[in-house]
Amino acid sequence: MFSTRIKLALIAGTAATALIAAGCSSNDSDSSKATTTTAAMDHGAMPGMDHGKTSTSAQAATRSDFDDADVAFLQGMYPHHAQAVEMAKLVPTRSQNQQLITLAKAVEQAQSPEMQQITTLLQSFGKPAPSADMGGHAGMDGMMTKDQMTKLEGLSGAEFDKLWMQMMIEHHKGAITMSNTELAQGSNAESKAMAQAIITAQQQEIDQMNTMLAQG
């Protein structure tokens, strides 16, 4: 009887030891799996995270192939173009001169896309988008004053045509002066190419307007 109790106790003890060992083994295995999974997740996440940081950094990086003269040229030419476009939009409702209407349309079609190009270039330089607000640019080469613009808006017919061309000639001359400064002092190839294009196109338009004025 006593021997049987001892045997039973020994069997129970052995079974308990086996269960405890199994439990420990299971916990160790789960812990190992969790550690491995966490490590794998961390390992898998890091390259992606690094890639994301690199990509963001590349997108935020600014160019270095420009100087202060390029920035000044672009920031000044944007409102300069904006005023020329504003003047061009006055023509269809105030002039009956088809040659002038065609010229004004050409001015708008040339300078509006250049305004977008200026914005894109400045942003690629890490600069804010330019403003068409001309309040701070009244003294810029060729820019018309508010009073001059008001006077132009109040005219129509031959009087409008004459004043518009006189004002646009001065406006174009100012743009050419600004562009020549860019060619002399700037370093960015795209800005200088724009400056050269402005000189070529606007000198041709000046010549055309001088001919039209001479014809009366």
Side-chain angles (χ1 to χ4, degrees):
M1 185 71 174
F2 181 74
S3 176
T4 300
R5 287 179 179 176
I6 292 174
K7 287 180 180 180
L8 288 172
L10 288 172
I11 291 170
T14 301
T17 301
L19 286 172
I20 291 170
C24 289
S25 175
S26 176
N27 288 341
D28 289 344
S29 176
D30 290 345
S31 176
S32 175
K33 286 179 182 178
T35 301
T36 302
T37 302
T38 301
M41 288 175 65
D42 289 344
H43 180 72
M46 289 305 289
M49 289 171 67
D50 289 344
H51 177 72
K53 288 177 182 177
T54 301
S55 176
T56 301
S57 176
Q59 290 173 3
T62 57
R63 298 165 59 169
S64 60
D65 60 333
F66 66 94
D67 59 22
D68 290 343
D70 298 314
V71 174
F73 167 70
L74 295 171
Q75 289 179 336
M77 192 57 74
Y78 188 92
H80 205 276
H81 274 18
Q83 188 177 69
V85 171
E86 181 185 354
M87 290 172 65
K89 288 181 176 179
L90 296 175
V91 174
T93 58
R94 291 170 173 80
S95 177
Q96 289 77 49
N97 186 324
Q98 189 56 52
Q99 191 176 3
L100 184 60
I101 291 171
T102 300
L103 174 61
K105 185 176 181 181
V107 169
E108 183 176 353
Q109 289 179 338
Q111 298 197 26
S112 291
E114 284 178 346
M115 289 171 69
Q116 181 56 54
Q117 185 181 354
I118 288 169
T119 299
T120 300
L121 270 173
L122 283 171
Q123 289 178 331
S124 76
F125 295 166
K127 306 297 179 182
S131 171
D133 177 14
M134 293 165 289
H137 304 279
M140 192 185 304
D141 286 323
M143 289 288 282
M144 299 299 116
T145 65
K146 185 176 180 180
D147 288 344
Q148 287 175 308
M149 291 296 293
T150 299
K151 181 179 179 180
L152 183 64
E153 290 168 4
L155 298 177
S156 63
E159 286 185 316
F160 172 85
D161 296 348
K162 181 178 180 180
L163 184 59
W164 189 93
M165 286 188 282
Q166 289 172 339
M167 289 171 61
M168 190 59 79
I169 287 171
E170 292 306 309
H171 203 272
H172 277 13
K173 285 180 178 178
I176 289 173
T177 297
M178 294 165 64
S179 297
N180 279 324
T181 299
E182 165 62 14
L183 291 179
Q185 300 177 8
S187 63
N188 178 260
E190 291 166 271
S191 300
K192 295 177 79 169
M194 180 186 293
Q196 185 58 63
I198 288 170
I199 291 170
T200 301
Q202 297 198 16
Q203 185 58 57
Q204 290 176 349
E205 290 172 351
I206 287 172
D207 294 342
Q208 181 182 351
M209 287 185 282
N210 278 328
T211 299
M212 290 170 67
L213 284 169
Q215 292 172 345

